[in-house]
Amino acid sequence: MSPTEPSTSGPIIETAGLTRTFTVRDGVRRRRLTAVDDLTVTIEAGEAVGYIGANGAGKSTTIKMLTGILVPTRGTVTTCGLRPVRDRRRLARQVGVVFGQRSQLWWDLPVRESFRILAAIHDLPGDVERARTGELVDRLEMAEFLAIPVRQLSLGQRMRAEIAAALLHAPRLIILDEPTIGLDVLSKQRLREFLVAERATHGTTLLLTTHDMGDVERLCDRVLVVDRGRLAYDGDLPGLGRTTGAERVLVVDLVAPSPDLTAIPAARHLDSEAHGLRQRLAFDPDLTTAAKVFAAVTERVDVRDFTIAEPDIEDVVRRLYARQASG
C-alpha cells in the first residue's frame, strides 16, 4: 500500500494531542480561545460513539478537524487512515456527514435529483447508485416524497433524505451532528431504528454529537464527554453513571395500593403514584443490585410489574462537570 492510500485495517479515527485555538476580540483586545485542548482518542471500525458536552465544549470544532474543514493548531489526526486536510477530497469518499441545521440537498430540486447529483459526485456506477438508492428509499420510507422539491418537505422527511444522502456512497464513517434536532417522537424513533439496522448490515462506524440523550442511549455503546475542549470521560454509559455516583431507579407496579415503600435496605423512596400503585425507588449500583432491592420489595407487597430506569444522562453529565470543576 502506498503512503497516500487510506488504511482499511487501522482505527477509523485516531487523534493525538489534537488542539485548536482561535483568536477572538474582547472589546479592543485580542485573546486566545482554546476550543479543543489536547484531545487523544481512538475509535475503531464498527463502533458507535456518542460525543457529548455542553454548548461551546468543542464538539463541532472537533468534527471540522476530523473532516478537514479546519486545520489543527497542533497535534495529529487521521480519519479512515487519511490526513483530513491534505486528503480532504479522498476522505469525502470514506465519510458521510449530517449537520442538523444545514443541508447537502439542492433546495429547489426533487429529492431524487439530489441523490443522482451526489451519486455522480461520488462516481457511483449506475447500477450501484440504483441499488443503493433503492435500499435507502425502502428502509427510510422515502418513496412518497422522492419527487417533491426539498424546500417542500417536512423537517422529518428532510432529515431522512439528508441521512440517505450522507450514506449514498456507503461511507465507512458516518458523523451525525444533532441529527434529530426539532423532530417529533415518531421521526426520531424511525431514524434511530434505521441507524441501528444500517450499522448491523454494513458495519458503518458512527460518531454522534447530540443534546438528545435518548439518541445516545439508543444508538451508542461508548461515550466521550468533552468539557471546555478537554476529554472528561471515555467509556460506556453505565461506567459514566458509576463515575458520577448516579443512581438507578426501580419502578414497581403493585397489585394493590400500598403505603410508601420506605426503609427498603440500600434504597431511597422517590415518589408514589395512584395511591401507591406505582412507586419509584433509587439505589446506588455500587452498593446493591436491582435484584436485592426487588427482593426486599416483594417481601412487603405483591408486584404486578417492574422496570429498571438507568440514570438520566443529562444529570450524569452535569455531575461529571461539577466533579471536574471541584477536582
Side-chain angles (χ1 to χ4, degrees):
M1 183 176 70
S2 73
T4 60
E5 289 179 343
S7 170
T8 58
S9 58
I12 290 289
I13 293 172
E14 190 168 24
T15 73
L18 187 64
T19 301
R20 174 69 195 202
T21 61
F22 297 93
T23 300
V24 297
R25 286 188 176 276
D26 186 4
V28 296
R29 296 184 178 181
R30 294 184 177 183
R31 62 186 179 89
R32 300 290 286 178
L33 172 67
T34 301
V36 176
D37 189 3
D38 195 31
L39 181 68
T40 299
V41 297
T42 299
I43 297 176
E44 301 292 344
E47 284 195 274
V49 179
Y51 190 44
I52 63 177
N55 286 329
K59 304 185 299 296
S60 294
T61 300
T62 303
I63 289 175
K64 290 174 182 177
M65 288 190 287
L66 293 177
T67 54
I69 298 172
L70 282 178
V71 179
T73 303
R74 63 177 180 272
T76 61
V77 53
T78 57
T79 306
C80 298
L82 297 166
R83 295 298 178 97
V85 174
R86 185 191 67 187
D87 303 320
R88 187 175 172 187
R89 287 189 177 183
R90 296 175 60 229
L91 182 59
R93 300 181 184 277
Q94 303 284 327
V95 177
V97 183
V98 174
F99 290 98
Q101 303 281 22
R102 302 171 190 172
S103 180
Q104 61 189 312
L105 304 171
W106 279 260
W107 204 239
D108 294 309
L109 294 180
V111 176
R112 180 187 291 110
E113 296 306 315
S114 286
F115 290 169
R116 287 172 178 165
I117 293 171
L118 289 167
I121 289 172
H122 288 292
D123 293 328
L124 297 184
D127 57 339
V128 173
E129 182 268 328
R130 287 188 293 273
R132 181 61 167 157
T133 298
E135 176 188 13
L136 293 169
V137 167
D138 179 60
R139 291 170 60 189
L140 281 167
E141 302 176 23
M142 297 187 297
E144 64 180 12
F145 59 82
L146 272 182
I148 298 176
V150 172
R151 65 166 59 251
Q152 297 179 19
L153 301 181
S154 69
L155 180 58
Q157 290 171 334
R158 185 174 69 80
M159 286 311 303
R160 277 184 276 164
E162 293 284 357
I163 289 179
L167 289 167
L168 188 63
H169 58 297
R172 298 173 63 202
L173 168 67
I174 179 74
I175 300 175
L176 304 180
D177 187 12
E178 301 286 359
T180 64
I181 189 168
L183 298 187
D184 58 45
V185 173
L186 182 60
S187 296
K188 287 182 181 182
Q189 182 62 22
R190 181 184 286 119
L191 284 180
R192 289 166 179 164
E193 290 175 351
F194 165 76
L195 290 168
V196 169
E198 176 72 13
R199 290 188 58 235
T201 302
H202 297 283
T204 310
T205 305
L206 171 66
L207 179 64
L208 172 71
T209 75
T210 182
H211 284 90
D212 189 324
M213 295 301 106
D215 289 345
V216 179
E217 290 175 327
R218 291 164 178 79
L219 294 173
C220 301
D221 40 44
R222 176 183 171 196
V223 62
L224 307 174
V225 181
V226 63
D227 178 24
R228 290 164 291 185
R230 297 188 68 88
L231 188 64
Y233 176 81
D234 179 357
D236 60 18
L237 286 172
L240 179 58
R242 289 192 296 270
T243 297
T244 57
E247 296 174 312
R248 301 178 77 192
V249 177
L250 174 68
V251 184
V252 289
D253 291 328
L254 308 182
V255 172
S258 167
D260 291 349
L261 295 170
T262 57
I264 297 294
R268 180 169 58 91
H269 182 268
L270 295 177
D271 57 48
S272 297
E273 301 175 18
H275 306 290
L277 277 173
R278 169 171 288 185
Q279 302 197 29
R280 299 167 69 246
L281 297 96
F283 62 95
D284 185 338
D286 284 340
L287 300 179
T288 189
T289 66
K292 289 180 179 179
V293 177
F294 181 74
V297 169
T298 56
E299 288 179 358
R300 291 175 49 177
V301 292
D302 291 329
V303 177
R304 184 187 304 277
D305 199 4
F306 73 96
T307 58
I308 305 294
E310 297 297 333
D312 178 83
I313 301 179
E314 289 181 325
D315 178 59
V316 170
V317 171
R318 283 193 295 269
R319 288 170 179 255
L320 182 61
Y321 285 170
R323 178 173 176 169
Q324 294 282 325
S326 63

